């Protein structure tokens, strides 16, 4: 990941007056997804705190390339940022040989905004009530169980593949086009288990149609503290989805520092915490180097999961 460029003395006036116009948050997905939701919640709070509008621009397509080009082609003046998840930073580089952007060279980490844990849920008819019982069942019936995901290469898919590799499980993969298809397939017993965000599952869990067994975050989630983490049986296991803010390399240090401070400030407000938690999202914040470390660690985990899934680089 690129290092911050020093702020030249000649930029002192720019730093003192920053920001003095609209800031853009570029999102590499259509409206409604996780990064878009996080971007809009944070943008609203930053607009209130900074006295300048922070607008969200959706630039979906081409595995994040369109959003990356939007960011890198804009002036490096601290008024255009990227809000994205681990797909662009950690998954795509391991899947695509000739990616049109380089996460390590083209971007500067600004802030790790939030994480969104995924939860392992089983259909009500599956004879398991705990994570351990599910593992035992899978071991006793190799190749007879199936699981749904949000598509090949998704965090939902790679979480299960990493779990399978760590525990030597044989479970068949059934890919869908997002949780909007995989969760109904679980409820309809077309697949035995899925990983999905808590809001997608909680209603079905309450009416007894699914059973939530575990979370893929590093430890138990504050969103559901009674649900065990997979890391309790696989040490170090962590595939919670991350969402962060990045800038193009060469963006002034004063802009990166200010946005980091404002994002962290926003994430500490009770209103934002409640708003994100309701959506199954856990706010994080903190210094930029925390996000840089998270990207590096996440990249290693996903690289191993991609190999375990047998996904060949294209």
């Amino acid at each position: 990941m690129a290092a911050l460029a020093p702020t030249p003395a000649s930029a002192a006036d720019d730093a003192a007056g920053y920001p003095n116009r609209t800031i853009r948050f570029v999102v590499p997905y259509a409206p409604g997804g996780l990064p878009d939701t996080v971007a809009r919640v944070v943008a609203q709070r930053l607009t209130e705190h900074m006295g300048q509008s922070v607008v969200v621009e959706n630039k979906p397509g081409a595995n994040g390339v369109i959003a990356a080009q939007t960011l890198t082609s804009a002036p490096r003046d601290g008024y255009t940022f990227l809000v994205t998840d681990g797909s662009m930073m950690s998954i795509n580089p391991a899947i695509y040989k000739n990616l049109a952007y380089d996460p390590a060279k083209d971007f500067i980490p600004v802030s790790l905004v939030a994480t969104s844990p995924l939860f392992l849920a089983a259909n009500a008819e599956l004879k398991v009530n705990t994570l351990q019982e599910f593992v035992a069942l899978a071991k006793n019936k190799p190749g007879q169980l199936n699981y749904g995901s949000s598509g090949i290469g998704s965090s939902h898919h790679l979480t299960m593949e990493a779990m399978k590799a760590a525990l030597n499980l044989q479970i068949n993969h059934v890919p869908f086009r997002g949780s909007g298809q995989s969760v109904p397939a679980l409820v309809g017993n077309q697949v035995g288990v899925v990983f999905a965000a808590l809001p997608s599952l909680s209603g079905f869990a309450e009416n007894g149609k699914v059973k939530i067994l575990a979370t893929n975050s590093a430890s138990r989630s504050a969103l559901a503290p009674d649900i065990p983490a997979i890391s309790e049986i696989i040490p170090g296991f962590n595939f919670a989805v991350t969402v962060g803010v990045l800038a193009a390399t060469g963006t002034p240090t004063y802009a990166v520092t200010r946005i980091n401070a404002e994002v962290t400030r926003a994430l500490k407000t009770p209103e934002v915490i409640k708003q994100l938690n309701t959506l199954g999202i856990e706010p994080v914040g903190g210094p930029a180097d925390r996000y840089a470390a998270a990207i590096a660690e996440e990249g290693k985990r996903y690289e191993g999961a991609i190999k375990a899934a047998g996904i060949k680089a294209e």
Side-chain angles (χ1 to χ4, degrees):
M1 191 63 63
L4 289 175
T7 303
S10 60
D13 291 340
D14 291 337
Y18 179 83
N20 58 22
R21 52 190 171 85
T22 297
I23 293 171
R24 296 192 296 163
F25 276 180
V26 178
V27 175
Y29 305 103
L34 174 62
D36 177 73
T37 299
V38 171
R40 292 180 187 280
V41 170
V42 173
Q44 179 182 356
R45 188 63 53 168
L46 264 59
T47 296
E48 296 169 359
H49 285 172
M50 300 178 72
Q52 295 291 338
S53 295
V54 180
V55 300
V56 176
E57 295 185 2
N58 300 92
K59 299 290 184 179
N63 300 306
V65 170
I66 295 174
Q69 291 176 340
T70 300
L71 181 70
T72 57
S73 64
R76 312 296 173 94
D77 56 6
Y79 287 88
T80 305
F81 295 87
L82 177 69
V83 180
T84 189
D85 59 11
S87 293
M88 275 190 69
M89 297 296 108
S90 304
I91 297 177
N92 288 353
I95 293 180
Y96 301 103
K97 291 181 180 179
N98 299 310
L99 203 58
Y101 62 87
D102 186 335
K105 295 180 180 179
D106 295 339
F107 307 117
I108 297 168
V110 176
S111 178
L112 174 57
V113 181
T115 63
S116 180
L118 299 178
F119 289 79
L120 177 65
N123 178 272
E125 295 182 22
L126 201 65
K127 305 299 183 182
V128 298
N129 292 300
T130 67
L131 174 61
Q132 288 82 356
E133 289 178 359
F134 171 70
V135 171
L137 180 65
K139 286 182 177 293
N140 289 333
K141 295 185 175 183
Q144 297 181 48
L145 301 180
N146 56 24
Y147 77 95
S149 82
S150 293
I152 295 173
S154 65
S155 54
H156 310 70
H157 173 213
L158 297 177
T159 293
M160 180 60 86
E161 292 300 321
M163 180 176 163
K164 285 168 55 180
L167 298 175
N168 193 28
L169 305 177
Q170 297 179 41
I171 309 172
N172 303 314
H173 179 214
V174 182
F176 293 91
R177 292 177 178 265
S179 295
Q181 291 185 1
S182 65
V183 173
L186 173 70
V187 175
N189 204 20
Q190 295 171 253
V191 293
V193 294
V194 301
F195 275 101
L198 189 60
S200 299
L201 299 167
S202 56
F204 296 114
E206 289 172 3
N207 64 25
K209 292 184 178 180
V210 306
K211 294 172 281 191
I212 300 177
L213 306 179
T215 180
N216 73 344
S217 52
S219 58
R220 295 193 181 204
S221 170
L223 303 174
D226 293 336
I227 303 298
I230 295 171
S231 61
E232 294 175 25
I233 64 170
I234 306 174
F237 194 94
N238 178 20
F239 284 86
V241 180
T242 60
V243 178
V245 179
L246 299 111
T249 301
T251 299
T253 302
Y254 65 79
V256 172
T257 301
R258 177 69 187 281
I259 295 300
N260 172 274
E262 293 293 346
V263 169
T264 298
R265 175 188 177 191
L267 296 173
K268 292 180 179 179
T269 61
E271 297 83 2
V272 169
I273 293 171
K274 181 179 180 180
Q275 192 173 2
L276 292 178
N277 283 173
T278 300
L279 299 169
I281 303 166
E282 300 179 4
V284 181
D289 58 4
R290 180 178 186 179
Y291 187 27
I295 291 172
E297 293 169 2
E298 184 178 63
K300 293 178 182 178
R301 290 194 296 270
Y302 275 124
E303 185 176 0
I306 287 166
K307 289 180 179 178
I311 299 174
K312 304 296 182 182
E314 299 179 1

